[in-house]
């Protein structure tokens, strides 16, 4: 499992980037939306990128893909 929004905010603040958990969540979801946008364009359904971005299954899949790319580099 990964870090929660509160833990991410604490790390960012410790590194000099003042951040609270709500901001950490917003940044994460914006990144997920950017990843979801091409998927929504390819899929033939009614879901929007912002709806797909909050789906835990989508998030898990994106994390798995990004983690496997990191291991292969």
């Amino acid at each position: 499992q990964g870090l929660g929004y509160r833990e991410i905010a604490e790390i960012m603040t410790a590194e000099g980037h003042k951040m609270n958990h709500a901001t950490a969540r917003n940044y994460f979801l914006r990144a997920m939306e950017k990843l979801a946008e091409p998927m929504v364009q390819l899929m033939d359904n009614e879901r929007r990128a912002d709806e797909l971005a909050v789906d835990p299954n989508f998030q898990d899949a994106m994390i798995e893909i990004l983690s496997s790319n990191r291991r292969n580099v």
Side-chain angles (χ1 to χ4, degrees), residues 23-41:
T23 303
R25 179 181 185 276
N26 289 338
Y27 276 111
F28 176 76
L29 290 178
R30 274 190 269 161
M32 286 292 119
E33 281 186 50
K34 287 182 181 183
L35 293 171
E37 190 62 43
M39 300 289 290
V40 168
Q41 291 173 2

Side-chain angles (χ1 to χ4, degrees), residues 33-66:
E33 281 186 50
K34 287 182 181 183
L35 293 171
E37 190 62 43
M39 300 289 290
V40 168
Q41 291 173 2
L42 290 173
M43 295 177 356
D44 197 24
N45 65 15
E46 301 285 324
R47 289 184 89 176
R48 298 186 332 239
D50 60 333
E51 294 171 341
L52 188 58
V54 297
D55 183 334
N57 293 322
F58 174 76
Q59 293 175 4
D60 288 343
M62 289 296 102
I63 291 167
E64 180 65 30
I65 290 168
L66 294 171

